Amino acid sequence: MAVRYIQTCRLPTPFGVFDMHGFEEPDTGKEHVALTLGDLNSSEPMLARTHSECLTGDALYSMRCDCGYQLEEALRSIAREGRGILMYLRQEGRGIGLLNKIRAYHLQDQGADTVEANEKLGFAADLRDYSMCKDMLEHLGIASLRLMTNNPRKVDALMSYGINITERVPLHVGRNPHNEHYLDTKQSKLGHWLETHQDDDPQES
């Protein structure tokens, strides 16, 4: 078991009133949450986002990444749809942690790109784990997703755990002069889909 369910409460937000479900990893004590809106029992695929924690972007308004912009747009999209789930995963800095992310940012200030900075610190470019998502979705009774992401590795990782993704929904927001190089590096080195051409995306072909 990757995570165990703890409790559910209401969470009013500027985008709508969500249900927040808390989960914990028994082995590590790491905590994750899922925000849901609307009918969880429908057989229709649910609009979804898996969002890894980014304190700097989500809470401190950093313009070095697109994380905070994507978080807000995902919640807006779910609210517009009237039904959806956002799984907020506590794995800061693509899995390297907050203080190491600050070290990586320092290296980026010296000219390294986001991948090079991780590698200079002795980490892989992306250490995130999505195994907990399967348990969260099974607990909530959600069988299939329309996933909001630009990251092909995320799609592949979730599908490798048996999660049914029926559609990949682009999430292109937040480009600015401070994160252009970061976004271009994600496209060139990590294979992110930063264009909306459907023929580039196997989930939409």
Side-chain angles (χ1 to χ4, degrees), residues 62-172:
S62 171
M63 299 175 70
R64 297 186 69 135
C65 64
D66 55 346
C67 302
Y69 304 102
Q70 289 188 323
L71 176 62
E72 290 192 12
E73 182 58 27
L75 291 172
R76 285 193 190 95
S77 297
I78 291 170
R80 285 195 297 266
E81 183 99 352
R83 179 174 177 266
I85 179 171
L86 185 139
M87 290 170 278
Y88 195 89
L89 311 177
R90 306 294 299 278
Q91 42 189 3
E92 180 79 45
R94 295 205 298 272
I96 67 174
L98 178 60
L99 297 184
N100 280 323
K101 184 167 81 168
I102 294 172
R103 293 185 178 101
Y105 277 172
H106 174 73
L107 291 172
Q108 290 174 44
D109 289 341
Q110 311 307 309
D113 64 36
T114 183
V115 171
E116 293 166 346
N118 273 30
E119 292 173 344
K120 285 177 182 289
L121 292 172
F123 300 110
D126 193 340
L127 292 174
R128 286 176 294 183
D129 172 26
Y130 299 101
S131 60
M132 70 288 289
C133 296
K134 182 174 178 61
D135 288 346
M136 296 166 79
L137 292 168
E138 285 183 351
H139 173 81
L140 296 169
I142 299 169
S144 57
L145 306 178
R146 295 166 48 231
L147 186 69
M148 290 183 279
T149 186
N150 306 322
N151 184 355
R153 298 185 184 195
K154 183 183 294 186
V155 174
D156 291 343
L158 292 171
M159 293 179 69
S160 75
Y161 292 115
I163 296 170
N164 182 24
I165 299 174
T166 64
E167 180 186 357
R168 199 274 300 187
V169 180
L171 193 59
H172 301 304

Side-chain angles (χ1 to χ4, degrees), residues 7-95:
Q7 191 54 271
T8 296
C9 69
R10 291 174 65 254
L11 186 71
T13 76
F15 314 103
V17 180
F18 291 80
D19 288 326
M20 182 166 67
H21 314 271
F23 297 86
E24 181 183 45
E25 294 182 20
D27 295 338
T28 66
K30 191 176 292 186
E31 299 164 338
H32 310 281
V33 298
L35 304 185
T36 62
L37 183 69
D39 182 10
L40 303 186
N41 297 317
S42 172
S43 60
E44 291 297 315
M46 177 170 272
L47 186 63
R49 165 82 178 160
T50 62
H51 188 92
S52 295
E53 179 181 32
C54 177
L55 178 70
T56 49
D58 298 342
L60 300 179
Y61 307 103
S62 171
M63 299 175 70
R64 297 186 69 135
C65 64
D66 55 346
C67 302
Y69 304 102
Q70 289 188 323
L71 176 62
E72 290 192 12
E73 182 58 27
L75 291 172
R76 285 193 190 95
S77 297
I78 291 170
R80 285 195 297 266
E81 183 99 352
R83 179 174 177 266
I85 179 171
L86 185 139
M87 290 170 278
Y88 195 89
L89 311 177
R90 306 294 299 278
Q91 42 189 3
E92 180 79 45
R94 295 205 298 272

